[in-house]
Amino acid sequence: MAKESFGTTRRGEAVFVYTLENKSGAKARVTDYGATVVSVIVPDKDGNMLDVVLGYDNVTGYEDNTCYFGATIGRNANRIADAKVEIGGAVYQLDANDNENNLHSGNQGVDTLVWQVKEHTADSITLSVTSGHLTQGFPGNMDIEVCYTLTGDNTLEIAYRAVSDQDTVANFTNHSYFNLSGHDSGDVLGQKLCIHASNITPVKDAKAIPTGETLAVAGTPFDFTESKTIGKDIGSDHIQMVYGGGYDHNFILNKKEAGEFVCMAKAYSPATGITMEAFTDCIGVQFYSGNFITEQQGKHGAVYEKRQGFCLESQFYPNAVNEEGFPSPYLKAGDVYTSKTSYRFSVS
């Protein structure tokens, strides 16, 4: 496994980037800053190797920007209403970093920490970090591991493990932005997407907190049960689309059993022939169409703008800590949280 310098944080910590490579020449680059995916490089229909995730050239880019490109998000992915969570009768105040709500655990999430490399091979790396008691407002000292593996069939596997010494919340995701035409190729509106979900959790308003209800996707812009381009309905005046400025919603995955590892989505670029199938054992996936990417300098001179990447973030439902009707992301002291999500790349 190749290891290269990735710069130094403002705290003076040395940061490195590691390259996983399989026998076919596909690569995934991961940095120990935030256990972040920097690049995924796979062949297109003509055999050209393309980088299909958005990112930066060094750690400074990740410190300076707030799009969460490729980041490991925790302890809690997505939003928590009023930035408060009640556990064991005690109310814990979190960072109010998204209006009055908490987004992706706040300003000191694990995506801002330098992780330790626990073990690695040519095609796999396990990183670990400890999130201290109340460092994000959440109770308990939590030991966290993320393992990235690049398999021989060009699948990037992401496996999470966490344990806490107090009752707390565990809901991790990866926030990679994909562009299957290449990270520097422009918007993703012509790329096709299918999501295996018949319902979403609609939101109350533009602050994106779910109502607690479900909404059938049939007959709405959210119907991706059959493949369609991301841009087909993105300009719809459906109130949920207005609230999100496009797609920024949790899709309830069609699953037979809790914990079953299933295909959650399939995306395709007609320009490159690259197909990505996404699998998870989670119950939901946040589909985000990059509505709020502001103009910024990306890798290798690329300039990223609005809707030049899309996210498929496997997760518990947003604000599940405060919705009795949603499956709970609470983790008991000493219990082990595990989750797995994979992205498999091929050409057609």
Side-chain angles (χ1 to χ4, degrees):
M1 174 184 294
K3 175 183 177 181
E4 304 167 75
S5 173
F6 204 57
T8 304
T9 69
R10 295 191 183 93
R11 300 184 293 260
E13 301 154 300
V15 174
F16 296 91
V17 63
Y18 303 82
T19 301
L20 314 180
E21 185 171 4
N22 65 16
K23 292 181 180 179
S24 69
K27 297 178 182 179
R29 300 175 72 233
V30 176
T31 175
D32 48 20
Y33 181 80
T36 297
V37 176
V38 175
S39 300
V40 176
I41 301 169
V42 293
D44 69 5
K45 62 185 178 182
D46 298 317
N48 301 310
M49 302 303 288
L50 290 184
D51 188 349
V52 295
V53 298
L54 279 58
Y56 303 105
D57 287 324
N58 52 54
V59 68
T60 303
Y62 292 93
E63 288 186 302
D64 285 349
N65 295 283
T66 56
C67 284
Y68 302 98
F69 286 165
T72 294
I73 302 296
R75 301 179 190 187
N76 185 79
N78 219 302
R79 293 171 175 86
I80 294 178
D82 300 321
K84 292 181 180 178
V85 57
E86 182 176 344
I87 302 174
V91 176
Y92 295 89
Q93 181 66 53
L94 314 174
D95 286 342
N97 65 325
D98 185 56
N99 298 301
E100 67 272 21
N101 304 314
N102 176 268
L103 174 65
H104 295 327
S105 304
N107 297 318
Q108 299 299 318
V110 297
D111 58 295
T112 68
L113 303 179
V114 177
W115 295 48
Q116 301 299 311
V117 176
K118 184 175 181 180
E119 56 188 18
H120 65 83
T121 65
D123 56 9
S124 181
I125 186 169
T126 300
L127 301 113
S128 65
V129 75
T130 297
S131 175
H133 176 57
L134 299 181
T135 54
Q136 297 172 261
F138 295 100
N141 296 295
M142 177 179 275
D143 295 325
I144 306 159
E145 292 182 5
V146 176
C147 178
Y148 292 101
T149 302
L150 182 63
T151 69
D153 66 350
N154 296 348
T155 298
L156 181 63
E157 297 180 347
I158 309 174
Y160 306 88
R161 185 184 189 278
V163 62
S164 172
D165 61 4
Q166 294 188 39
D167 293 356
T168 191
V169 174
N171 178 26
F172 291 85
T173 196
N174 180 270
H175 210 300
S176 287
Y177 289 68
F178 298 99
N179 187 326
L180 301 183
S181 297
H183 77 101
D184 55 356
S185 64
D187 70 58
V188 297
L189 299 182
Q191 295 174 35
K192 294 186 175 182
L193 179 66
C194 173
I195 303 176
H196 300 297
S198 300
N199 296 274
I200 64 167
T201 51
V203 298
K204 299 176 182 178
D205 52 33
K207 296 177 182 178
I209 298 298
T211 64
E213 303 167 322
T214 62
L215 173 69
V217 301
T220 78
F222 298 91
D223 191 349
F224 284 90
T225 54
E226 298 291 336
S227 181
K228 67 178 182 180
T229 61
I230 291 171
K232 182 176 186 295
D233 297 315
I234 207 164
S236 168
D237 61 0
H238 189 289
I239 189 60
Q240 290 295 314
M241 295 293 286
V242 174
Y243 288 157
Y247 297 104
D248 191 10
H249 292 74
N250 171 65
F251 285 68
I252 300 172
L253 295 174
N254 300 334
K255 302 183 72 170
K256 296 179 180 179
E257 297 180 10
E260 186 179 5
F261 194 68
V262 298
C263 183
M264 62 178 176
K266 183 176 182 179
Y268 170 71
S269 167
T272 63
I274 295 175
T275 293
M276 181 181 77
E277 295 172 278
F279 301 82
T280 190
D281 57 9
C282 293
I283 58 173
V285 59
Q286 186 85 2
F287 169 44
Y288 174 50
S289 52
N291 313 314
F292 303 108
I293 301 175
T294 56
E295 183 177 312
Q296 55 195 276
Q297 189 69 50
K299 290 178 290 190
H300 312 307
V303 176
Y304 302 137
E305 299 184 14
K306 181 178 181 179
R307 294 176 177 159
Q308 292 194 355
F310 66 89
C311 303
L312 294 169
E313 307 159 57
S314 52
Q315 59 175 9
F316 281 93
Y317 307 159
N319 199 38
V321 295
N322 295 313
E323 281 290 349
E324 292 185 1
F326 287 176
S328 174
Y330 288 123
L331 181 70
K332 291 284 189 182
D335 285 355
V336 178
Y337 163 92
T338 60
S339 180
K340 181 179 177 181
T341 296
S342 295
Y343 302 95
R344 184 169 67 200
F345 300 90
S346 60
V347 292
S348 59

